[in-house]
Amino acid sequence: MAGRTGKEPPSARLRRIHKALHRARTLLRRSAVDYFRGHGSDWVVLVTLLLSVPALAWATLTAPLWAAPEALVLPLIVGGLLLRPISLLAVYAAAAGALVVESVLLGPYADGAGRVTPGTVLVVSAVGFVGLLIAQFRTRVGVPWTGGGTMLFDLRERLRVQSQLPSLPKGWHREMSLRPAGGQSFSGDFVVAARTGAERRTLEVVLTDVSGKGMDAGSRALLLSGAFGGLLGSLPPHAFLPAANAYLLRQDWEEGFATSIHLVLDLDSGDYELFSAGHPPALQLSAGSGRWEEKSAGGPLLGVYDGVEFHPVKGRLRAGDVLMLFTDGLVETSERDLADGIDRLTGAAETYVATGFRGAAWHLIEKVAKDVNDDRALVLISRS
């Protein structure tokens, strides 16, 4: 009936409208995503800024004491953050034209306040130059300013999540604390850990200290943590550090060495092996004697020599025992050598024996190396 009369059923019309709205919404969303990723068109921002330039010029001509000629730097700043360099030049041309118009209509700057002065031209030109440099930098990086911070935040969160220790069976406790140098968000110290084996009854923890500190070391730590996380559990324990060393050598970094300590712990028996690559020794507290013992496995730094071997030191965690892994930033400074730092750490750790070292990792860093300008990390494994 609808075909003979030429009328479209209401349900079909609603479906067609719904599809059209869905296509429009999808196109808008894709355009927004492309823009914030740096691949979309910036014509909306460009048109808005081009319209703001004459608006600011009109405000200056009507009320120069309230809307100074220097207000033209506002669209230049926004353009430097959002526009591509070629689009930014159009805004610059409009701003230059507005300055010329304002200078002619307001009269010589010697006639009073609110005129276009040589200082005004200098300020607008300087802001435009800086904005162009920012736009060119964003173009080279390929990340818009709105996405650069988001990307760094995402990378930091991925590193934090990857550094989390896996849950352990009843009778075991683990905790970890990382503290970057200078209060920054990125650290050259990182941890990768996993439960491996046929029934996941083996805990493997790798604590690594990348050379340098702060953002420089943090960028290398981001790369290495992903690579080390992929190697952990994919290779036999004795093959992990040689593979990590070979990977680091292939990077050919100018400052490319790192120290690392690899713990392989049997969660059933408490037996463990420690492999070390130039890392400070681990510390084990024996509940029977109440003494701390250094567990040192010799081995060269990662990323220095090719074809090296790493031999483990073995031990066992009994009921009440504690094992601490840490980086040199926690125990060694320019005013304190390694031995003194270890004595200070073990002395501070004695106060947490009664509590089973619950929440001790963060507090130990606060007590031992709170104001140290170096990356610090501490991993605690205890058996109750």
Side-chain angles (χ1 to χ4, degrees):
M1 190 68 173
R4 289 195 295 267
T5 60
K7 293 183 178 180
E8 186 179 18
S11 59
R13 189 183 310 113
L14 288 175
R15 285 196 299 270
R16 192 176 74 253
I17 295 175
H18 177 75
K19 289 181 180 179
L21 291 176
H22 178 72
R23 286 195 296 268
R25 187 170 61 251
T26 302
L27 180 61
L28 181 62
R29 184 172 63 250
R30 288 178 178 175
S31 299
V33 171
D34 286 343
Y35 175 74
F36 282 105
R37 285 179 175 175
H39 303 301
S41 174
D42 56 1
W43 64 269
V44 176
V45 178
L46 176 60
V47 171
T48 302
L49 294 180
L50 288 177
L51 292 176
S52 69
V53 170
L56 290 172
W58 175 83
T60 300
L61 293 175
T62 55
L65 295 180
W66 290 94
E70 291 82 0
L72 288 172
V73 302
L74 298 177
L76 303 187
I77 294 174
V78 176
L81 295 174
L82 296 177
L83 294 178
R84 296 175 175 82
I86 190 169
S87 301
L88 190 59
L89 294 178
V91 180
Y92 286 2
L99 278 178
V100 172
V101 172
E102 291 174 358
S103 178
V104 172
L105 296 182
L106 290 175
Y109 60 87
D111 292 348
R115 267 67 174 179
V116 178
T117 66
T120 301
V121 178
L122 182 62
V123 169
V124 174
S125 301
V127 172
F129 177 73
V130 174
L132 186 60
L133 290 180
I134 294 175
Q136 289 178 337
F137 176 77
R138 287 191 295 103
T139 301
R140 290 186 59 187
V141 174
V143 178
W145 78 279
T146 51
T150 303
M151 182 184 68
L152 290 175
F153 176 80
D154 181 64
L155 289 173
R156 187 192 69 180
E157 289 303 299
R158 288 178 183 272
L159 180 61
R160 182 185 64 82
V161 171
Q162 188 171 353
S163 296
Q164 290 180 348
L165 300 176
S167 59
L168 300 183
K170 186 178 180 180
W172 291 96
H173 172 69
R174 85 286 183 266
E175 61 181 74
M176 175 197 64
S177 183
L178 291 174
R179 194 74 59 85
Q184 298 185 29
S185 298
F186 294 92
S187 172
D189 298 344
F190 67 89
V191 175
V192 291
R195 291 189 45 189
T196 60
E199 298 181 0
R200 301 180 69 245
R201 302 301 298 177
T202 300
L203 173 67
E204 294 192 51
V205 180
V206 178
L207 174 59
T208 303
D209 182 3
V210 179
S211 58
K213 59 185 177 181
M215 291 294 294
D216 293 336
S219 60
R220 296 195 298 272
L222 284 170
L223 176 63
L224 292 181
S225 64
F228 286 12
L231 293 174
L232 192 67
S234 302
L235 298 172
H238 67 272
F240 175 82
L241 286 182
N245 180 64
Y247 177 82
L248 202 56
L249 285 171
R250 289 196 299 270
Q251 306 312 305
D252 197 25
W253 289 329
E254 292 184 1
E255 191 180 3
F257 66 89
T259 69
S260 189
I261 189 167
H262 180 198
L263 169 67
V264 184
L265 173 64
D266 188 324
L267 296 173
D268 290 326
S269 64
D271 294 333
Y272 66 83
E273 290 183 331
L274 275 174
F275 299 84
S276 178
H279 204 82
L283 293 174
Q284 180 179 348
L285 172 65
S286 175
S289 63
R291 295 180 179 178
W292 290 93
E293 179 184 359
E294 293 186 11
K295 294 291 184 177
S296 179
L301 298 169
L302 295 179
V304 178
Y305 303 108
D306 192 11
V308 295
E309 296 181 355
F310 300 90
H311 301 287
V313 61
K314 298 182 179 181
R316 172 176 289 184
L317 288 179
R318 298 175 176 85
D321 288 1
V322 179
L323 187 67
M324 290 197 301
L325 312 178
F326 49 88
T327 55
D328 60 357
L330 185 63
V331 294
E332 191 174 17
T333 64
S334 57
E335 296 84 14
R336 185 174 66 229
D337 61 19
L338 181 62
D340 292 339
I342 290 177
D343 290 341
R344 184 176 181 181
L345 175 61
T346 54
E350 292 289 342
T351 59
Y352 296 94
V353 173
T355 62
F357 286 84
R358 306 285 175 172
W362 186 87
H363 292 287
L364 283 175
I365 293 180
E366 282 288 304
K367 286 186 176 182
V368 176
K370 179 180 179 180
D371 299 321
V372 174
N373 188 27
D374 196 0
D375 299 324
R376 293 142 290 165
L378 176 63
V379 177
L380 280 170
I381 307 290
S382 63
R383 191 175 188 182
S384 60

